Amino acid sequence: MPTARPYVPAQPTLGWAQLRAPARPLSEHPFSAASVSWTHLGRSALHLAARVLGLEGKEVLVPAYHHGVEVDALLAAGAHPTFYEVGRRWALDLEDLEGRIGHRTGGLVLTHFAGFPGPASQVRALADRYGLVLIEDCAQALLSTDGEIPVGTTGDAAVFSLRKTLPVPHGGALVFNGLRGFQLPPVRSPAAGPTARGLLSRVLLRGEFRLPSQGAALRRLGAWLDRHFGSPRAGRPPAVESGFDRQQLALGASPLVERVARAHALASVVERRRRNFFHLLGALRGGSPPLVNELPPGVCPLFYPLWVEDKDEVLARLRAENVEAGPGWRAFHSRCDGGEFPEASRLRKHVLELPCHQDLGPAHVAHVARVTLRALSRDRTWRSRAAEG
Ligand SMILES: Cc1ncc(COP(=O)(O)O)c(C=O)c1O
């Protein structure tokens, strides 16, 4: 255990050892796929997929439980996103989905939430029945497999995001399954400065993670770098995701990002995430009914989804205990009328994201579990008081 009170960042951090490690060939999907293209972000990959697959001017059905940038990426490609419901346990109602297919529909997007594979073969069958294109959104499912089958091998195209699973500031991947002879537009390499600053913020985050008692000093250093060089703050990697920037569509992936990705032993990233998720599942299932009851073989979990009554309250309690949890997707995209999707609304209101990433050891996860159980018992007290009142 590093100290009596560990600091648990929401995202994986970057060490010098990884920066120095030799780059190796990546044998895991999607990097090993014959048709893989590295992209600047997951959203860029989705934008390209929609363009290459001819979705311009067509309706594309997207889950009502979405981040929002994927909707923007489709809009930028000239597609018209419409939405379908996602149930409490991320379940798809295939009948509801089928009922929404109309004569203008050209494609379906299937999102694999938090690394857990969605029903790809059933949605593939539906797409085939109606002659639709299927895109798998694997932005949250890098390195996941559905049993033996890598996630993202069923759709006409699959898109991935690197920066959620690995300590990189950007990076995405696009895979076409079966499509040959497509041409992608040329892209520019991103400027070295922002990439280096993004990597530095993950290095500073590693410092804060390893030396939690120096956290304040590292944050001061981050703020100083921020003032003098426009570097992001320590402990708070830049929020690429906050908005959709069309200019990013002209960019590719930096060689620095590829290098850092290649320095990782990806199998051990999966193994550690699974170990941490199991620990949280065992420890927390009594405190809040789990959204997913099990961890099927092959899943590389992005986070542990926790159902709470009052998200802000629980997040604040975790933060007070040095645990950075993610707030989850709170808002519908402006094109999506949330009132039509009560189940997705509930997910937005109640699910937060506990870290289970590869940097965390057993002591960190035990700390997360302990403080979460404490926060949950207050959450329950609040709920029962509210019910009495
Ligand atoms: C489901 C989903 N799709 C696509 C994206 C876009 O990925 P990126 O941030 O790499 O552009 C995100 C980002 O959070 C996402 O959650």
Side-chain angles (χ1 to χ4, degrees):
M1 179 118 159
T3 69
R5 193 165 177 266
Y7 167 64
V8 179
Q11 294 177 325
T13 67
L14 182 59
W16 292 118
Q18 284 160 324
L19 283 169
R20 282 200 314 262
R24 42 187 143 204
L26 294 170
S27 54
E28 288 82 357
H29 193 79
F31 307 108
S32 57
S35 69
V36 69
S37 309
W38 289 66
T39 62
H40 189 61
L41 286 162
R43 63 199 79 178
S44 339
L46 182 55
H47 173 257
L48 286 171
R51 279 180 57 186
V52 170
L53 294 171
L55 291 175
E56 189 177 346
K58 307 219 174 112
E59 259 178 28
V60 178
L61 275 156
V62 180
Y65 191 50
H66 49 250
H67 176 286
V69 287
E70 64 279 53
V71 180
D72 284 323
L74 291 168
L75 286 167
H80 304 299
T82 56
F83 300 90
Y84 64 89
E85 181 66 299
V86 178
R88 177 178 163 130
R89 292 175 192 268
W90 296 326
L92 294 199
D93 179 341
L94 288 163
E95 268 181 40
D96 171 76
L97 175 57
E98 184 167 6
R100 291 172 188 273
I101 296 172
H103 64 279
R104 291 207 193 91
T105 311
L108 307 175
V109 172
L110 172 66
T111 302
H112 301 289
F113 299 106
F116 288 77
S121 49
Q122 284 139 297
V123 179
R124 173 81 265 173
L126 192 61
D128 289 347
R129 204 169 328 135
Y130 289 88
L132 305 177
V133 157
L134 172 61
I135 301 179
E136 289 182 82
D137 185 336
C138 313
Q140 294 200 328
L142 186 72
L143 308 179
S144 266
T145 64
D146 189 352
E148 298 286 302
I149 303 171
V151 165
T153 47
T154 309
D156 297 286
V159 303
F160 298 82
S161 172
L162 271 61
R163 67 190 182 86
K164 301 180 212 315
T165 308
L166 301 176
V168 288
H170 66 252
L174 168 61
V175 172
F176 287 107
N177 296 314
L179 187 70
R180 301 269 176 275
F182 57 87
Q183 277 233 306
L184 298 181
V187 285
R188 275 187 285 121
S189 205
T195 304
R197 287 198 294 273
L199 291 171
L200 176 62
S201 85
R202 298 284 188 129
V203 171
L204 290 172
L205 195 61
R206 168 71 59 103
E208 193 169 350
F209 173 62
R210 286 278 163 83
L211 304 164
S213 53
Q214 312 299 317
L218 283 161
R219 269 193 290 273
R220 275 201 300 280
L221 173 63
W224 185 85
L225 288 168
D226 199 10
R227 277 196 306 279
H228 289 80
F229 304 104
S231 162
R233 278 151 201 250
R236 312 287 177 271
V240 173
E241 71 271 25
S242 50
F244 182 79
D245 179 356
R246 272 179 172 267
Q247 291 185 359
Q248 285 174 339
L249 297 177
L251 300 177
S254 156
L256 272 174
V257 162
E258 282 201 40
R259 202 182 176 293
V260 171
R262 287 182 196 284
H264 276 78
L266 297 180
S268 95
V269 169
V270 179
E271 195 185 298
R272 282 161 168 258
R273 284 179 172 268
R274 287 180 61 83
R275 179 198 65 196
N276 293 341
F277 190 99
F278 265 129
H279 185 149
L280 290 174
L281 184 61
L284 299 177
R285 65 161 82 241
S288 170
L291 208 76
V292 282
N293 279 316
E294 50 171 18
L295 185 59
V299 170
C300 176
L302 189 64
F303 53 80
Y304 180 89
L306 182 74
W307 189 278
V308 297
E309 197 49 40
D310 185 339
K311 240 196 265 229
D312 288 325
E313 169 78 17
V314 174
L315 283 169
R317 286 193 187 281
L318 295 179
R319 205 168 302 119
E321 299 282 359
N322 257 358
V323 173
E324 303 272 1
W329 298 332
R330 290 182 194 266
F332 288 92
H333 190 276
S334 58
R335 295 287 179 110
C336 181
D337 174 6
E340 244 193 83
F341 301 103
E343 295 288 335
S345 301
R346 279 162 55 75
L347 287 169
R348 290 184 186 284
K349 181 160 182 239
H350 293 290
V351 176
L352 61 76
E353 304 173 354
L354 292 180
C356 67
H357 58 77
Q358 58 269 27
D359 291 350
L360 308 182
H364 298 104
V365 185
H367 179 65
V368 175
R370 200 167 41 242
V371 302
T372 303
L373 282 173
R374 237 175 2 236
L376 281 173
S377 75
R378 308 256 186 152
D379 193 46
R380 263 198 307 275
T381 315
W382 176 89
R383 221 183 317 166
S384 52
R385 284 221 192 97
E388 280 163 22

